[in-house]
Amino acid sequence: MGLIQQLKGTLVSQLLLGYIFVMSGLAVTFLMLCSCVIWPFNRHLYRKINVHLAYAHWSQFTFLGQWWAGCKVILYASDEDVKYIGKEHILTIMNHKFDIDWLMAWILAERLQMLGNTKIYGKEILKYVPLIGWAWYFTESIFLKRQWDHDKRVIEHDLKQATDYPEGYYVTLLLFPEGTRFTEEKQKASEEVCRAKGYPILKHVLLPRPKGFIITIHGLRGQFPTILNCTVAFSKNGPAPTLMNILQGKPMLAHFYAERIPLDSVPIETDEACAQWLRELFKKKDDMYEEFLNTETFPGPTHNIPRRINDLLMWSFWAVVTCVPLFYYLGSLFIAGTFTQQIIAIVVGIILTFVVRLMIGVTEIHKGSEYGRSVNTLDNR
């Protein structure tokens, strides 16, 4: 292991990355808050501004993935599909098997110039997560309480605004129909429901929950032309796909399958027909992942979408803006500061460590919600 790689794994390096992320995030979300004064008068301008502000902060994740850790992402997609990705509104359907499957999607989104206008379906509590949750709120992601009557109204309302953007600003709406992250415990509960209802058994994904998908398809019909079916896998010979390993600079190889499906091809004659279509899609994901375990490849042509320098430049900008005053202050403090001031600086550093660890914890599968761990929650359709 080289010296640079060892330095990446130190607490000091991780604290510095966390400091840059937190301070730039505070600046970006403050500007997002200020931009709210534009909302009543010009929503297009508000959204245009916040797409770029979101990129200014979220690109630090893609910087960590592709520049700091040196992760590689192989895209499996037809040549025709690649021509359209990033050039149309899309509903992205992913399974949620790994801590950082979303980060691999974001890396490709950055390379394809889609990152700033990505939106998620997320738990209500996520919008209170400092910085990234606040940014999701200002960029109008869809937050759900897992109370169907409430969530149905939220989805219907928010989807009406989904494509109300200036020309050339394409929306990527990310949906995890499983409703939770994959664990062995949740997989057993999912398999039990499949057996009871006569559905195909799923070993590597969870049984998808169709309600949100059904109302989404109805809401987006005529507005979004395409569903992008995505499945992510990681090389078994690499480090565990976690955000902590990314922070420690450990490179990973991700395999990313993407398939464009016309949204109008999803049957909507009955809710059951739509739900059946979704289950068949996840069965296909499951079969592909089973094959991947044997071959370490997905079907279809491979594409190496080159990384852009934009996120590296953005991180460098924030590093200069935030670190120059920090180093000047710390130098003055430990040369001429009082003992009390030095203790305060150390306490602030400890608090920053806690905040960074808290945000990492949001991505960890073993700290996911209880949702989906029992047959009752999986069978509540």
Side-chain angles (χ1 to χ4, degrees):
M1 182 183 294
L3 177 60
I4 293 178
Q5 188 63 39
Q6 290 180 343
L7 289 174
K8 288 180 179 179
T10 63
L11 179 61
V12 172
S13 294
Q14 293 164 22
L15 274 177
L16 190 60
L17 288 171
Y19 166 78
I20 295 169
F21 180 81
V22 169
M23 298 307 295
S24 62
L26 289 173
V28 166
T29 51
F30 174 73
L31 291 173
M32 286 180 167
L33 178 62
C34 293
S35 72
C36 290
V37 300
I38 302 172
W39 175 265
F41 310 105
N42 192 330
R43 294 188 180 186
H44 276 195
L45 179 59
Y46 168 87
R47 288 171 173 147
K48 190 173 182 179
I49 289 171
N50 279 282
V51 165
H52 295 289
L53 287 175
Y55 179 85
H57 195 228
W58 297 345
S59 59
Q60 291 186 57
F61 284 108
T62 62
F63 160 79
L64 288 174
Q66 58 186 356
W67 295 97
W68 181 263
C71 294
K72 296 182 179 179
V73 183
I74 300 174
L75 175 63
Y76 297 78
S78 71
D79 295 338
E80 185 68 18
D81 284 355
V82 171
K83 292 179 184 178
Y84 287 95
I85 298 175
K87 298 178 177 63
E88 61 182 352
H89 300 303
I90 55 172
L91 171 65
T92 300
I93 303 294
M94 287 184 64
N95 55 304
H96 208 350
K97 190 173 180 66
F98 304 99
D99 288 4
I100 56 168
D101 40 23
W102 60 271
L103 179 56
M104 299 303 108
W106 272 21
I107 287 175
L108 283 177
E110 198 289 323
R111 295 180 183 184
L112 293 164
Q113 302 181 50
M114 302 160 60
L115 180 59
N117 210 12
T118 57
K119 303 178 187 298
I120 66 162
Y121 283 85
K123 295 175 290 187
E124 177 81 8
I125 194 173
L126 287 179
K127 69 181 178 184
Y128 302 109
V129 174
L131 308 181
I132 188 167
W134 301 343
W136 276 334
Y137 174 78
F138 286 120
T139 53
E140 302 172 84
S141 280
I142 300 174
F143 297 100
L144 307 174
K145 291 184 176 181
R146 291 173 174 164
Q147 299 169 3
W148 178 240
D149 289 340
H150 168 272
D151 292 347
K152 183 175 184 291
R153 291 193 300 270
V154 169
I155 294 172
E156 288 175 339
H157 174 270
D158 289 358
L159 290 182
K160 291 177 182 178
Q161 310 294 325
T163 57
D164 187 19
Y165 276 82
E167 184 68 27
Y169 283 75
Y170 298 110
V171 175
T172 300
L173 181 58
L174 178 59
L175 173 63
F176 292 101
E178 294 159 302
T180 187
R181 288 175 282 189
F182 184 96
T183 65
E184 294 301 324
E185 182 181 0
K186 294 173 183 178
Q187 190 278 329
K188 290 178 182 177
S190 170
E191 184 174 327
E192 189 173 339
V193 174
C194 288
R195 292 186 188 279
K197 290 184 172 287
Y199 300 152
I201 301 301
L202 304 173
K203 296 189 292 184
H204 307 291
V205 299
L206 302 179
L207 182 64
R209 294 167 173 77
K211 286 185 177 179
F213 176 76
I214 292 168
I215 196 68
T216 297
I217 293 299
H218 281 278
L220 294 181
R221 210 168 181 92
Q223 299 187 74
F224 275 41
T226 303
I227 293 172
L228 194 65
N229 172 37
C230 300
T231 305
V232 186
F234 289 86
S235 174
K236 59 185 177 183
N237 297 322
T242 66
L243 190 55
M244 181 56 73
N245 280 337
I246 293 288
L247 282 172
Q248 292 174 351
K250 298 178 181 179
M252 302 171 197
L253 175 61
H255 300 260
F256 197 100
Y257 175 84
E259 173 193 16
R260 290 176 69 249
I261 302 171
L263 191 141
D264 287 347
S265 69
V266 180
I268 58 171
E269 291 78 17
T270 65
D271 287 354
E272 178 53 32
C274 192
Q276 176 66 22
W277 185 93
L278 182 62
R279 288 193 294 269
E280 291 174 355
L281 183 71
F282 268 71
K283 176 58 178 171
K284 178 181 178 181
K285 288 177 179 289
D286 196 69
D287 292 342
M288 280 202 315
Y289 193 83
E290 178 71 22
E291 182 65 21
F292 177 87
L293 294 178
N294 297 321
T295 64
E296 287 235 347
T297 186
F298 283 127
T302 60
H303 302 267
N304 181 19
I305 308 298
R307 62 184 180 181
R308 306 188 306 154
I309 200 172
N310 300 55
D311 52 349
L312 175 61
L313 293 176
M314 184 60 70
W315 182 85
S316 300
F317 165 78
W318 285 120
V320 171
V321 169
T322 59
C323 289
V324 169
L326 172 68
F327 293 152
Y328 178 82
Y329 173 75
L330 290 179
S332 302
L333 180 64
F334 286 98
I335 292 173
T338 66
F339 178 74
T340 301
Q341 291 173 326
Q342 294 170 357
I343 291 296
I344 292 173
I346 293 172
V347 170
V348 170
I350 293 173
I351 293 173
L352 178 61
T353 304
F354 173 77
V355 170
V356 171
R357 192 65 189 85
L358 178 66
M359 288 187 288
I360 292 173
V362 173
T363 72
E364 294 174 344
I365 284 178
H366 72 274
K367 292 186 178 179
S369 71
E370 298 293 320
Y371 195 58
R373 292 186 180 178
S374 69
V375 174
N376 290 336
T377 58
L378 277 165
D379 199 29
N380 182 17
R381 307 203 167 303

